[in-house]
Amino acid sequence: MTQSILITGSSRGIGKAIALRLARDGYDIVLHCNSQRAAADEVANEIIKLKRQCRVLQFDVTQRELVATTLLKDIEQHGCYYGVVCNAGIARDNAFPLMSGEDWDSVLKTNLDGFYNVLSPLVMPMVQRRLPGRVVTIASVSGVMGNRGQVNYSAAKAGIIGATKALALELAKRKITVNCVAPGIIETDMVADAPMEEILKFIPARRAGKPEEVAAAVSFLMAEDAAYITRQVISVNGGLA
């Protein structure tokens, strides 16, 4: 039986690359978007061309009750997911003295509260499958080492790392692994305006990463071969940290 994987924030960038890679790996895909529905539909069409089943769920990960209702309805209709990739996130960068309360709250609510809002309704259904499962969260090099101008983002991503490690302990005996992938500088819209010439000086590999390279790490963690890997943070950052 083909297994399905939910990927939040999968209409573009890293999430899109993960969705396409996992579809090529043979999984059915449940895409998620908030406002980018047309882009998500395009990704879905690409996945269908790969001969995999695909559907799109649209919701704001900060809306706790809506998230739970949407996800529980979906698994009631289609069955529970084998895997979940928590990728949805935003950045609102600024020097800390200039950072507004709104920018702090929006980043924490989307990135960190989104972890709870998505996984809370899904953990027990995954356990009740009584089968192996996979959870992969997407953090950031900022959550590992901190980054100037990203106190809010670093706090949220560091929180995701801590939450991932704790949840891994709770689910390990259920054969559900919980791991984190922490990308560095990746060629996405999020770094489109960054001063890359200066940034690359600090990256030992002297280049930005590709979304497909992050997707490859997620692909491995989803595989049966990764059943004994849990509670880990896999950095994909060209040696940055």
Side-chain angles (χ1 to χ4, degrees):
M1 183 178 67
T2 302
Q3 303 183 100
S4 64
I5 297 176
L6 167 70
I7 305 112
T8 65
S10 45
S11 62
R12 59 180 180 169
I14 290 173
K16 175 182 176 180
I18 292 170
L20 291 172
R21 174 59 186 259
L22 294 177
R24 293 188 185 99
D25 289 344
Y27 299 102
D28 289 339
I29 302 299
V30 183
L31 298 170
H32 158 262
C33 68
N34 180 14
S35 58
Q36 303 280 336
R37 181 57 187 253
D41 287 339
E42 289 181 10
V43 179
N45 289 334
E46 290 186 54
I47 290 170
I48 291 169
K49 290 177 182 177
L50 295 171
K51 308 300 183 184
R52 304 281 15 122
Q53 297 292 316
C54 185
R55 58 188 180 274
V56 179
L57 303 180
Q58 185 170 4
F59 55 82
D60 181 345
V61 296
T62 70
Q63 302 299 309
R64 185 165 296 160
E65 292 184 5
L66 174 62
V67 174
T69 299
T70 303
L71 293 176
L72 291 175
K73 181 179 179 181
D74 186 65
I75 64 175
E76 181 181 353
Q77 292 177 344
H78 301 281
C80 191
Y81 317 124
Y82 159 75
V84 180
V85 181
C86 293
N87 171 71
I90 62 170
R92 297 286 185 271
D93 298 350
N94 211 336
F96 188 68
L98 303 176
M99 185 174 291
S100 68
E102 181 181 357
D103 284 348
W104 176 272
D105 289 343
S106 62
V107 168
L108 269 291
K109 287 178 180 177
T110 301
N111 294 280
L112 187 54
D113 288 1
F115 171 99
Y116 176 86
N117 295 346
V118 169
L119 290 177
S120 177
L122 295 180
V123 164
M124 282 312 299
M126 290 180 73
V127 168
Q128 290 163 356
R129 289 176 73 240
R130 298 186 181 277
L131 294 169
R134 302 283 186 268
V135 174
V136 176
T137 63
I138 305 298
S140 169
V141 66
S142 295
V144 176
M145 60 183 287
N147 192 31
R148 185 188 302 272
Q150 289 191 321
V151 175
N152 51 356
Y153 191 71
S154 296
K157 293 299 189 178
I160 286 173
I161 291 171
T164 298
K165 291 185 174 184
L167 184 59
L169 290 174
E170 295 188 16
L171 296 181
K173 67 181 180 181
R174 306 289 188 175
K175 298 182 181 179
I176 299 172
T177 66
V178 188
N179 292 290
C180 182
V181 172
I185 304 300
I186 307 297
E187 295 174 355
T188 66
D189 293 344
M190 191 173 285
V191 300
D193 298 324
M196 292 304 297
E197 187 172 333
E198 289 299 312
I199 291 172
L200 293 180
K201 294 177 182 178
F202 297 96
I203 302 174
R206 292 295 189 268
R207 68 174 179 87
K210 300 180 184 301
E212 292 77 14
E213 292 173 312
V214 180
V218 176
S219 170
F220 172 68
L221 292 172
M222 284 288 169
E224 184 178 345
D225 287 345
Y228 202 54
I229 300 173
T230 196
R231 206 185 177 204
Q232 302 305 305
V233 179
I234 310 298
S235 293
V236 184
N237 62 27
L240 183 59

